[in-house]
Amino acid sequence: NHNGVNIKRTIAAMINEYTPIKLFSSRQGASTITQQLVKNLVDDRAISGLDGALRKVREIFRAFTLEKNYSKDMIMEAYLNKISLSGMIAGVQAGAEIYFDKNASEVTPAEAAMIAGITKNPTQYNPFLQPENCLERRNDVLYFMFNQGYLTQEEYDEAVNSDLGLAETHTENVNTN
């Protein structure tokens, strides 16, 4: 329901970043999926200060342009094909193949939750290097899925009680840096 940018969250995040006023109890991002896609597509890495603020402005205008020219479905598909899933793994299809040795359309709810969970912090939730963190994050995502009605109680219980189920064929051959 936005045009590529959540203006209220962006203004609040800017106030949090550049003034002593804190509108949230912790630093929270304001980027939409469209803005995250822009960030993943362009090599604009300015992080802080004036350069960081100008990068954010460029990102906002690029997000508006994407939203004018592409449908939400196309933006989501591009995002899912570009998102980092640890090391050199990018996109949910590559993640499904490397982590589970299957097509993305065949993953279980637990596997889908693991892939979704990794996106929050691909290094911290790398299942090869940080399996305990990954499992905890996966279970958080499963809870969110259950809480929002995407899983029944039975599906949730089964998924949360399963292990990560990583494919044996890739665990030693994947560049996880």
Side-chain angles (χ1 to χ4, degrees), residues 6-38:
N6 183 327
I7 298 296
K8 287 181 186 178
R9 299 274 310 162
T10 299
I11 291 170
M14 289 174 60
I15 290 170
N16 280 356
E17 183 72 23
Y18 297 107
T19 73
I21 301 168
K22 300 302 175 212
L23 298 178
F24 302 116
S25 59
S26 65
R27 286 185 75 193
Q28 296 182 7
S31 294
T32 63
I33 294 289
T34 307
Q35 287 175 273
Q36 291 176 41
L37 175 60
V38 166

Side-chain angles (χ1 to χ4, degrees), residues 1-6 29-41 56 59 62-64 66-67 71-83 116 119:
N1 296 331
H2 59 71
N3 295 327
V5 177
N6 183 327
S31 294
T32 63
I33 294 289
T34 307
Q35 287 175 273
Q36 291 176 41
L37 175 60
V38 166
K39 189 174 182 178
N40 290 336
L41 289 174
K56 197 64 165 177
E59 182 181 287
R62 289 170 176 153
F64 284 142
L66 267 182
E67 289 278 338
S71 70
K72 296 276 191 195
D73 286 344
M74 292 175 78
I75 290 168
M76 180 59 88
E77 181 179 350
Y79 173 79
L80 292 172
N81 283 315
K82 186 70 176 162
I83 190 71
T119 65

Side-chain angles (χ1 to χ4, degrees), residues 1 4 9 20 27 68 76 85 88 97 115 138 174:
N1 296 331
R9 299 274 310 162
R27 286 185 75 193
K68 275 193 233 172
M76 180 59 88
L85 294 173
M88 300 300 294
E97 289 172 0
I115 290 171
R138 183 213 57 188
V174 172

Side-chain angles (χ1 to χ4, degrees), residues 152-168:
T152 65
Q153 182 71 53
E154 183 179 329
E155 291 168 327
Y156 170 75
D157 291 342
E158 180 181 333
V160 81
N161 289 310
S162 67
D163 62 17
L164 289 177
L166 298 173
E168 294 292 324

